[in-house]
Amino acid sequence: MKRPLRVYAILYLAFLYAPIALLPVFAFNDGTVIAFPLRGFTWGWFEQLTEIPALHAAVLNSLKIAVSTAILATCLGVLAARAATRFAFPGKKGVMGLIMLPLVLPEIIVAVSLLVVLLQLGLSLGAWTVILGHVLIATPFSIAILNSAFQGLDLSLEEAAVDLGETRLSSFRLVTLPLVMPGIISSLLIAFTISLDEFIIAFFLTGTEPTLPVYLWGQLRFPQRLPVIMALGTLLVLASVLLLAIAEYARRRGAARTGQKDAGGFL
Amino acid sequence: MKDTRATARPIITLEAVEKYYGDYHALRGISAEIRQGEFFSLLGPSGCGKTTLLRTIAGFEDLSAGRLFIDGQDMAGVPANKRPTNMVFQSYAIFPHLSVAENVGFGLRRTRLSKTDKAARVEAALAMVGLSGYGGRAAHALSGGQRQRVALARALILEPTVLLLDEPLSALDKKMRDQMQGELRRLQRQVGITFILVTHDQEEALIMSDRIAVMFEGQIAQLDTPQMLYRRPVSRKVGEFIGVMNFLPARATVADETHIEVEAAGLGRAVIGPDQLPGGWHPGQTQSVGIRPETMSILYPGETTDRRVATGVVEDLSYYGDMTYYEVRLDGVERPMTISMKNLVGRPVLERGTEARVAWDARSLVLFA
Amino acid sequence: MSDRIRGPRIGRSEAAQGYLLVATPLAYALLLLAVPLGAIVLFSFWSQDYLTIDTTLTLKNYREALSDPLYRQLLLRSLMISAAVTAATVLTAFPIAYYVSFYVPPERKAMWIFLITIPFWTSYLIRVFLWKVILGYNGVFNTTLLGLGIIDEPLTFILYNANAVVITLAHAYAPFAILPIFVALEKIDRSLHEASRDLGEGYLSTFWRVTLPLAMPGVVAAVLIVFIPTIGDYVTPMLVGGPDGRMIANMIQTQFLRLNNAPMGAALAVLTMAMVSAVALVFVFLNRRFLRGRQ
Ligand SMILES: Nc1ncnc2c1ncn2[C@@H]1O[C@H](COP(=O)(O)OP(=O)(O)OP(=O)(O)O)[C@@H](O)[C@H]1O
Ligand SMILES: [Mg+2]
């Protein structure tokens, strides 16, 4: 059974990576049509990236939104994860269920329902409304990551700190925080990545300044822009992989530093 | 070093302490005095409330009712970080992100000592538990025994009035446990601090303690020295929990002021002293007598004795090398009783079915209601 | 209890501390999730009259949504595509999860999971777009097959229809299906397999009688976690679906942003949610029955 499964697994990975693998191929292809055969090597599309002000504005806007989302979602995540792992309170299941709901709600529903309320309240759309939506969908991911960080923690560690004269707050700072720090870093990076990549909510809730995915969406209609988009996509994939690698590294280092067994993986 | 135990000043006083977890009644009217400088153990089966009581003293659980004094001060409203107690946790709770020295020196952060003083204190504490030179080690890279020592050093560095230990030896293997039992005892004598040890291992409690509180279901069943606990358990439950005890149906009547007359199934009639009725009720309420296996012996053919003799049959036996435990059924008794015998030269192990004469002593009988 | 003492400050009641911590995230979820969801339900009972919204409650939108063949077809098609995606994703994901859990050495498992999750974290939009590039008339797939002489003219049934949507979504949600199944498989005590073999079961019957039932919770989680979001997907049907591959999310978007008929869009959104919940409940119920039936 092992061999056929292994072959299957490798084919499956190829399927998973096929689209991404094509990105650099066409990003460096010296032709305006995205099709084989290839025409030759060029840096031209990457150079063009530097010359589009609207793209730069969208990138900046997205970064702003992603950083805010990462921080807010992680803060909410820390609060919820600690409550969920440390304390028993009536109605916990329902409360956590509501907070985690966006994880299984189609994003279009989140988007339109927020839109309806915001418009009804007469509020103008902008970066901040996108942040509101993104925090909502990123928080469950943060909680999932932080839950496992908090869960691995021996409750008596904090008690030991209190026993040795620290207050509740200072023992959280001195003991718990350093121990869940890898989880916090993972959570920040994951929330950042989610926000940077999210399209639908941004599409509905963005005002006059598009985020990067919204800008991209607009460009997909123009065939002559496609090679540039391939170049941009290549950079985005590189950035995502880099962020993920850092998140994974932080998690593993945290695990190694505290001598835990490597349990592996996100989510 | 003065023997602080002799002063016998109460350091912890518990007055009718109650603890509820929701509807669950975890501590039911605990009253006790723990003395300055003694090695005190809380012994009982799993779930009887030992940890709960220890955590109440440490300040991690609040009392539902009753009062708790440490060194004469009412602890109501005093949080755990302000109490003169320190704790060795069952899991040891070694901070995994800190080095051994940082762990041990953790409690010194809030003191006004200079850096060098702190380092010296840490080194002294490490030396005390036999870990000199381990300060730089990563805490998570220690063995079980070493973790236990770090936890001890960390708790002792603040020189608490009382040191609380929650099953500190249960995570160690047998050999390590035996060694640490001795070391803990030695350490306690050396520092003179009151130790309160939680354990469910009766042997450990007997070996280490000055006094033991035996707990069942949230109540203290008996608080006594190891010897008294073993020799004069106040109830069948305590007698059964500590060591092995045989029980025989019995009746008792008062003979005169200093004597009680007992009639026990299989043993016959005997006269005993009032101290052999440790519960303090009226002898007329007696239902059974207890007798320890090692206070009896099986007589070999031709052997004579001036002790009392009963007769029975060897039904079963377990051979332990140095000892043999016989299950002997006395004539006229339903259940066999356990008798332990040292395996000495010239005393072959008896076979099943052997008719046996059992020598026993009236002084080793204990009455139970 | 007259001498009941107040607890030390350190031990404020468990529940109170829990609520205190969870209050902020809960308030956030209530304000930005529960309230908007409530609002959209309310909205779906209003109606749009050109530029003004009539706030009298009416079932008009629902009547229209359920009677107009356009909407009915869209809802049904979304359901079918989602079901197809779910089946394809979960069935293809199971062997991977099984392989990683049972045949990859423990120290390499994290690496495999990492490899499997990476594509998921790269721009969704670009990934979907790349499928368009791959599956298109002049796309990578067709040009390659033509070049190799396997086909004489480009295949057309692979883009701008429901097939393309299924392939693309199955690709996008692969990690979502693999991870829960992997986790469930990891939890299985390996000695159970040995016990089953020891009791005379073969490889396949061990899988059937031991592994699969124990992996079922993971499979159910995978099904739900793939099915629910895909039914509301917007990008994929828009980019690769063509007119025959459009799904309900596209219509919701059209109602809100193009036709300016928010109440109709809201009604469709509510219907989508109802459909999702119904399927989820049925599935959870079936799973319960299945688990109980085994005991
Ligand atoms: N936080 C709590 N909430 C509810 N019940 C509790 C809590 N802590 C302890 N209990 C219950 O109180 C009883 C006594 O618990 P405790 O931990 O004191 O037992 P123990 O004597 O230390 O047992 P063990 O030897 O198993 O450690 C148990 O039945 C336990 O279930
Ligand atoms: Mg305990």
Side-chain angles (χ1 to χ4, degrees):
Chain A
M1 251 345 246
K2 183 170 173 171
R3 287 214 116 205
L5 270 177
R6 191 176 166 77
V7 171
Y8 176 79
I10 287 166
L11 286 176
Y12 196 90
L13 275 187
F15 166 67
L16 280 184
Y17 278 87
I20 301 170
L22 286 176
L23 268 178
V25 172
F26 290 110
F28 290 109
N29 181 30
D30 192 6
T32 46
V33 187
I34 306 295
F36 289 113
L38 301 176
R39 295 281 159 98
F41 182 87
T42 178
W43 282 103
W45 308 122
F46 286 92
E47 278 160 18
Q48 280 195 25
L49 281 179
T50 59
E51 296 156 9
I52 312 170
L55 169 65
H56 302 167
V59 169
L60 272 183
N61 195 28
S62 262
L63 285 179
K64 195 170 74 184
I65 290 170
V67 168
S68 317
T69 300
I71 293 170
L72 289 173
T74 302
C75 289
L76 292 179
V78 167
L79 291 171
R82 182 161 162 89
T85 50
R86 177 75 172 76
F87 301 103
F89 50 93
K92 179 153 124 183
K93 267 210 166 135
V95 167
M96 292 314 291
L98 176 66
I99 297 174
M100 299 299 276
L101 186 62
L103 204 56
V104 293
L105 215 55
E107 279 181 16
I108 184 115
I109 305 239
V110 176
V112 297
S113 59
L114 274 172
L115 181 70
V116 162
V117 170
L118 291 169
L119 291 184
Q120 232 21 50
L121 293 176
L123 299 169
S124 64
L125 302 177
W128 73 279
T129 47
V130 180
I131 294 173
L132 286 184
H134 281 182
V135 169
L136 197 62
I137 57 160
T139 302
F141 283 89
S142 291
I143 293 176
I145 293 166
L146 290 164
N147 257 347
S148 59
F150 277 108
Q151 227 143 36
L153 221 59
D154 182 358
L155 284 188
S156 41
L157 285 176
E158 254 183 63
E159 286 185 347
V162 170
D163 187 61
L164 293 166
E166 298 297 337
T167 61
R168 202 167 251 291
L169 209 65
S170 64
S171 37
F172 183 79
R173 185 171 60 80
L174 291 169
V175 175
T176 311
L177 210 54
L179 288 173
V180 296
M181 200 36 105
I184 290 179
I185 292 173
S186 287
S187 156
L188 283 172
L189 291 171
I190 297 285
F192 179 88
T193 315
I194 290 173
S195 168
L196 198 63
D197 186 32
E198 202 287 330
F199 168 66
I200 274 289
I201 291 176
F203 187 45
F204 274 79
L205 300 184
T206 195
T208 46
E209 300 171 354
T211 63
L212 183 56
V214 176
Y215 170 81
L216 265 175
W217 180 254
Q219 299 301 302
L220 289 179
R221 271 177 291 155
F222 308 115
Q224 72 275 19
R225 288 290 180 78
L226 295 186
V228 180
I229 289 177
M230 290 291 175
L232 180 60
T234 308
L235 294 183
L236 281 180
V237 168
L238 276 181
S240 301
V241 171
L242 199 68
L243 284 182
L244 282 176
I246 294 173
E248 175 72 3
Y249 175 74
R251 196 185 59 74
R252 284 200 191 177
R253 236 194 53 162
R257 204 162 55 130
T258 55
Q260 291 161 4
K261 205 178 92 172
D262 189 354
F266 300 106
L267 298 174
Chain B
M1 184 167 302
K2 71 177 183 181
D3 184 0
T4 43
R5 268 171 300 155
T7 63
R9 180 167 67 89
I11 196 80
I12 289 185
T13 308
L14 298 153
E15 285 179 3
V17 167
E18 304 275 348
K19 174 69 191 173
Y20 287 89
Y21 289 115
D23 287 339
Y24 186 77
H25 202 170
L27 297 180
R28 309 171 177 223
I30 301 271
S31 293
E33 276 188 355
I34 299 167
R35 299 170 191 154
Q36 161 65 39
E38 77 176 331
F39 199 121
F40 191 90
S41 290
L42 293 169
L43 172 66
S46 189
C48 70
K50 310 175 296 279
T51 300
T52 305
L53 184 53
L54 201 72
R55 289 170 56 82
T56 338
I57 296 172
F60 293 121
E61 307 282 354
D62 42 351
L63 309 184
S64 304
R67 305 214 292 171
L68 163 67
F69 298 87
I70 300 181
D71 213 359
Q73 284 203 302
D74 193 337
M75 285 292 121
V78 180
N81 50 342
K82 298 272 157 49
R83 294 195 182 189
T85 57
N86 282 120
M87 185 139 165
V88 174
F89 289 81
Q90 184 160 11
S91 63
Y92 303 148
I94 303 293
F95 304 123
H97 58 307
L98 302 180
S99 71
V100 167
E102 285 167 329
N103 261 283
V104 173
F106 193 89
L108 297 179
R109 195 178 79 95
R110 299 200 163 233
T111 60
R112 294 185 178 280
L113 294 175
S114 72
K115 244 192 170 145
T116 44
D117 284 350
K118 283 182 187 173
R121 284 273 288 275
V122 168
E123 198 39 52
L126 282 174
M128 186 168 64
V129 296
L131 282 182
S132 294
Y134 279 72
R137 288 266 187 111
H140 63 77
L142 298 176
S143 73
Q146 289 169 333
R147 294 164 73 77
Q148 210 257 342
R149 289 160 199 259
V150 171
L152 259 176
R154 186 178 73 181
L156 283 172
I157 203 168
L158 291 173
E159 294 170 357
T161 311
V162 179
L163 183 74
L164 308 169
L165 305 106
D166 191 358
E167 311 222 8
L169 306 178
S170 63
L172 305 179
D173 61 44
K174 175 94 179 81
K175 216 169 181 161
M176 197 69 211
R177 190 156 61 223
D178 291 346
Q179 187 191 337
M180 283 310 294
Q181 281 173 357
E183 280 194 36
L184 262 186
R185 194 66 243 241
R186 176 187 58 73
L187 196 64
Q188 193 265 339
R189 293 222 178 91
Q190 183 191 326
V191 296
I193 290 173
T194 311
F195 277 31
I196 304 182
L197 172 89
V198 161
T199 177
H200 61 255
D201 179 346
Q202 43 111 359
E203 198 175 303
E204 183 172 297
L206 290 178
I207 293 172
M208 300 180 56
S209 321
D210 294 317
R211 291 194 308 152
I212 301 170
V214 178
M215 290 181 66
F216 295 120
E217 288 157 18
Q219 289 176 311
I220 295 183
Q222 188 170 0
L223 196 168
D224 241 321
T225 60
Q227 285 202 31
M228 285 306 286
L229 267 181
Y230 189 80
R231 284 176 33 214
R232 297 285 181 255
V234 296
S235 64
R236 279 181 68 148
K237 215 166 165 188
V238 176
E240 260 171 340
F241 188 72
I242 295 177
V244 180
M245 195 164 219
N246 300 299
F247 301 100
L248 296 163
R251 257 169 221 299
T253 47
V254 183
D256 60 53
E257 217 132 277
T258 52
H259 294 97
I260 299 169
E261 221 175 84
V262 212
E263 162 91 53
L267 295 178
R269 210 170 264 281
V271 175
I272 62 174
D275 66 311
Q276 284 167 266
L277 178 138
W281 63 84
H282 189 270
Q285 292 170 277
T286 301
Q287 305 273 355
S288 59
V289 295
I291 185 163
R292 297 280 185 196
E294 69 282 359
T295 61
M296 297 179 282
S297 55
I298 298 174
L299 298 176
Y300 280 77
E303 199 176 339
T304 56
T305 180
D306 48 3
R307 299 162 75 193
R308 305 282 303 271
V309 175
T311 56
V313 179
V314 173
E315 289 214 324
D316 206 349
L317 58 94
S318 316
Y319 177 74
Y320 278 79
D322 57 338
M323 307 278 286
T324 304
Y325 282 78
Y326 294 99
E327 297 295 312
V328 176
R329 195 208 321 242
L330 295 183
D331 297 338
V333 181
E334 212 175 302
R335 289 191 18 204
M337 64 196 313
T338 308
I339 297 174
S340 64
M341 300 275 289
K342 268 218 141 60
N343 291 330
L344 301 177
V345 177
R347 279 215 222 163
V349 174
L350 300 171
E351 309 233 325
R352 284 185 187 82
T354 311
E355 303 260 334
R357 289 182 300 141
V358 175
W360 61 281
D361 205 310
R363 279 171 303 169
S364 46
L365 293 181
V366 188
L367 295 190
F368 296 109
Chain C
M1 277 181 249
S2 55
D3 60 346
R4 187 192 162 94
I5 61 169
R6 291 181 55 89
R9 271 284 46 100
I10 214 84
R12 197 184 302 137
S13 117
E14 280 251 336
Q17 288 185 54
Y19 285 129
L20 199 66
L21 276 172
V22 89
T24 321
L26 177 61
Y28 196 90
L30 282 174
L31 275 178
L32 287 140
L33 186 63
V35 169
L37 287 180
I40 210 158
V41 172
L42 180 64
F43 230 78
S44 68
F45 291 105
W46 292 353
S47 55
Q48 183 100 22
D49 205 8
Y50 295 104
L51 287 178
T52 54
I53 285 183
D54 182 355
T55 57
T56 41
L57 299 181
T58 166
L59 285 171
K60 176 171 160 280
N61 297 318
Y62 288 100
R63 222 172 288 130
E64 195 179 330
L66 294 174
S67 59
D68 188 332
L70 175 68
Y71 298 133
R72 273 215 330 242
Q73 197 197 350
L74 267 179
L75 284 167
L76 200 66
R77 188 194 291 151
S78 302
L79 199 63
M80 300 303 287
I81 290 182
S82 246
V85 170
T86 308
T89 314
V90 173
L91 287 179
T92 51
F94 195 97
I96 293 292
Y98 188 84
Y99 173 72
V100 177
S101 177
F102 283 84
Y103 292 117
V104 171
E107 68 276 7
R108 300 246 300 274
K109 280 182 184 172
M111 191 64 211
W112 269 85
I113 295 298
F114 189 56
L115 275 179
I116 288 167
T117 32
I118 283 183
F120 169 73
W121 293 111
T122 60
S123 172
Y124 179 56
L125 216 53
I126 287 182
R127 260 184 299 149
V128 175
F129 178 72
L130 285 164
W131 277 107
K132 183 169 159 173
V133 170
I134 292 176
L135 300 173
Y137 189 81
N138 283 321
V140 176
F141 195 65
N142 275 331
T143 45
T144 311
L145 289 188
L146 279 173
L148 294 173
I150 297 173
I151 51 174
D152 296 327
E153 54 185 88
L155 305 172
T156 51
F157 63 88
I158 49 174
L159 188 64
Y160 298 131
N161 57 28
N163 293 340
V165 176
V166 173
I167 295 178
T168 309
L169 284 177
H171 177 263
Y173 283 89
F176 270 136
I178 295 175
L179 287 180
I181 300 175
F182 172 73
V183 170
L185 289 173
E186 278 294 280
K187 281 192 192 143
I188 299 177
D189 184 351
R190 297 301 131 116
S191 59
L192 289 177
H193 290 113
E194 285 160 17
S196 168
R197 302 298 290 278
D198 183 57
L199 295 170
E201 295 293 331
Y203 192 90
L204 276 180
S205 58
T206 294
F207 176 82
W208 188 248
R209 293 183 61 190
V210 178
T211 316
L212 197 55
L214 289 173
M216 220 44 201
V219 173
V220 170
V223 164
L224 293 178
I225 224 165
V226 174
F227 180 82
I228 296 172
T230 49
I231 206 169
D233 195 79
Y234 173 83
V235 172
T236 303
M238 201 65 189
L239 280 182
V240 303
D244 295 338
R246 289 287 143 83
M247 289 167 69
I248 195 67
N250 306 105
M251 182 50 82
I252 295 176
Q253 189 264 349
T254 308
Q255 296 287 353
F256 270 96
L257 301 186
R258 293 270 172 78
L259 300 178
N260 252 323
N261 190 351
M264 189 65 213
L268 292 176
V270 172
L271 283 175
T272 309
M273 277 194 284
M275 221 155 58
V276 165
S277 317
V279 171
L281 284 179
V282 165
F283 217 86
V284 169
F285 177 74
L286 282 181
N287 183 48
R288 287 240 176 99
R289 283 281 300 268
F290 170 81
L291 289 180
R292 194 164 318 137
R294 304 216 133 244
Q295 279 164 6

